[in-house]
Structures are given as C-alpha cells and as structure tokens.
Amino acid sequence: MDTTADVCVVGAGPAGLTLSLLLVRSGLSTVLVERSGSLAREYRGEILQPGGQRLLAQLGVLDGARERGSHELTGFQLRDGGRVLFDVDYRRLPPPYDRLLSIPQQHVLAELLERCHDYPGFTYLGGTRVSGLIREAGRVRGVTVHGDGGSRSIHAGWVVGADGRYSKVRRLADIGYDRLEVFSHDLLWFKVPAGDCAPATVQVVRGGGNPVLIHRSYPDQVQIGWSLPHGTYQQVTEVGVGAVADGVGRALPAYAATVRDCLTGLDKLSLLDVFAGEARQWAEPGLVLIGDAAHTHSPLGAQGINLAIQDAVALHPALVAEAAGEETGAVDRYIRARRRDIKSVLKFQVIQSRAMFSASPVADFIRPKAVAVLAHTPAYRHLTTKVAYGNAAITVHDGLFMAPAGRSAR
C-alpha cells in the first residue's frame, strides 16, 4: 500500500529519530524508514556531550533515556603512563549539563521512538530498505521501499537521508562523497567487565605501545578502543588477537588479565575505519542529507551523536518553513551555516588526533610541555566549551510544536 507524507526520513539513528520527533510535534506527517528490524544492536557511539544532552532535554527525552541506564563521567583525560597530561574537568561547566553521559545509544533511540509514537502523524517502517528515489519534474518526491509486506512507494514533499556514513540515499541520488584520509589511526573496539577500576572520565592512555581509549559503559563494563595505524588491520589478523591483548595490557595494566581472558578471538573486536568525509552536496530539490550521510568524523571528542542531534535540530525550522510553503531557500541557508560548524569540528579533530596519537621522540618530549602551557590559557577554556556544546546557538524551536492528539499506529 502506497503512503503519502509531508516528510520521509530514512535512517532511525540519532539524526533521523530526533528530526522525526521534531517534525511530528510540528504537525508534519512523517514516515521513518529503517532497514534494521530492531534497535537492539551494537552501537559504539555512547558519549553524550552537554550540548546533545541540552537538546534532548528540550525535547523531553533525556530523563527517560537516562532512566533506561547510563553513567555520568566527569570529563576527559589524556594520560601517559602514570602522568595526567591533560585534564578537562566538565564539572567547571555551568550546571545542569556539567557532565559527560555514557549511555547506550539504543536507550536514546528507544526513548525518541517511543515519543514519536505519541503523535498520529508518525509512521515507522522498521525492517524496510529503500530501493529507489521517486522523481517528478526534476525534484525528489519520495522513495520506493521493500520490507516484509512487499514493495511500496512513499510519496513525500521532502526526503531526508539520515542513513549513515555509507548512505544508500546518497548513492541513489548520485551525490559524490569525498573521503579524507586525515587521521593516522583506526580503532578496534571491545568491551570487558568494569571491575573495581573503571575510570570516572573518558581517557586516552599512552604507554608502551599504541594509545588506548577507555570509558565506563552501561551496565557494568568498560569500552576500550585500541588504536592501530590506519589501514593495518590485516596485519593484526595475521599476528592474532594476542597482540591486541598485549598492547592493551601495557597501556592499561589494571585490565591486562581481564582483557586476556575476554579477548578469545578476533570476533570479539569491532574495527572502526577512522576517516573524515563530506558529501559534495548536502541537498537537491526535495532531498537533504544530515548526520553521517552528509559529513563523517572521527570518534575523538565524542562528536558523532551530538553533531547528528544538532543537525536535526538546526534543520527542523527550515523544513517546517519549506513544507508549509512559507519560505524557499531555508534548507540552503541551513546548509551554508551548518557547513561552517562542521569544518570547524573537523579542523579541531585533526589537531586532537595529532596531539594524542602521534608517536615520535620529539612529539613525546613536546607534548607534556605544550599541554601544560595550554591548560593555563583562555584558549583552553574556549576549546573545552566548543567541544562540550558545539554551536551553542542551536536550540529547539518549540514554538513550532503542536499538542499531542493521540497515539500513532505502530
């Protein structure tokens, strides 16, 4: 059965679900298409910065997501052996968003989806794949999809591609993508029991080998990211998982035995190919890309989920205006402004990567001295605020919201 809606959003990640909730609360009928049949899958992005927390709170979903399970973290540290080189204490930020939040992404998505179902204009198509774009008179007018119920067409005034770094919508629109090899390391992710020594901060730990990223993960685990030179995973598979366990053990001696016990095979590891990238255009008539579909980032600084939420919040008033026929060019203006934010984030992430992961006698000598100087400058406070909040001017336009009128069909 074909469907008609004001907007069709493809991808039920943080960007797609946040935007869907904003749109249905603004009275726009919205169809959300998600290829997976369930939200119960592994996500590695678990850190919510204060900026993302603030926007989710404005949407009324933060408390519910936190009640599903989370951990507060007090900040970020760069450590080298027993020394703390860089200590960003988020408790110095203004409350109430003066902590990092380690929260399973599934908890955030489930809460957003539940709130979307409060609105009759919302339709969710899980386990459904987009197979094509509908075009009429030079404009995207919807998508064709295939799921358990067969194939159907979704006719919509706007299609939003929020379907990740390998976006199917972007490919179907034949929009080029520039992959930027600006990061020198990839990450192998895994989780182990937290035990009694889980850090209260997000940490990058250097010491005797490849740097390691670690933070506490709900319910009672730590998530560990072991760095390896970019593009060398094949070499890891040849030497075996023991090399990873040994490298992590050198950086994190308190977890050495636990890691050896838990890393019983390469199947316990998830490889994150770390790169930056950007779609050559973020929109065409009737179509706009957001989140990783438009721009891809490193996990450094825990920016991914936060940028996705900010994209959705910033796009929301532009789509409402365009859908109502009140304003043309609003989406283009959103893109021009948002691109400036994204370029700033990428530039800073490259600097972060070089500062934390570079390995040479000169870098090892300079790093602690440079960090000590930076920590006592106004630039340090500015960078902390920038990482924590992103573009703090982005806020939920709740004046566009309408009151709930019942429950939607699931």
Side-chain angles (χ1 to χ4, degrees), residues 254-276:
Y255 280 102
T258 301
V259 169
R260 281 196 301 271
D261 291 342
C262 294
L263 283 188
T264 56
L266 291 170
D267 60 319
K268 304 296 183 181
L269 302 170
S270 297
L271 174 67
L272 177 63
D273 179 11
V274 179
F275 62 91

Side-chain angles (χ1 to χ4, degrees), residues 152-167:
R152 72 164 85 178
S153 296
I154 302 170
H155 301 275
W158 279 89
V159 171
V160 179
D163 51 340
R165 55 167 58 183
Y166 304 113
S167 170

Side-chain angles (χ1 to χ4, degrees), residues 376-399:
H376 294 90
T377 67
Y380 165 82
R381 291 186 291 275
H382 171 74
L383 291 174
T384 300
T385 302
K386 193 70 175 175
V387 171
Y389 292 106
N391 183 346
I394 294 175
T395 191
V396 171
H397 285 68
D398 54 7

Side-chain angles (χ1 to χ4, degrees), residues 348-365:
F348 184 60
Q349 282 196 325
V350 171
I351 294 171
Q352 281 182 299
S353 178
R354 291 171 180 169
M356 295 177 191
F357 291 103
S358 59
S360 71
V362 172
D364 292 343
F365 176 77

Side-chain angles (χ1 to χ4, degrees), residues 205-220:
V205 183
R206 304 177 57 90
N210 297 8
V212 174
L213 188 150
I214 181 172
H215 66 78
R216 193 174 183 190
S217 176
Y218 183 84
D220 192 23

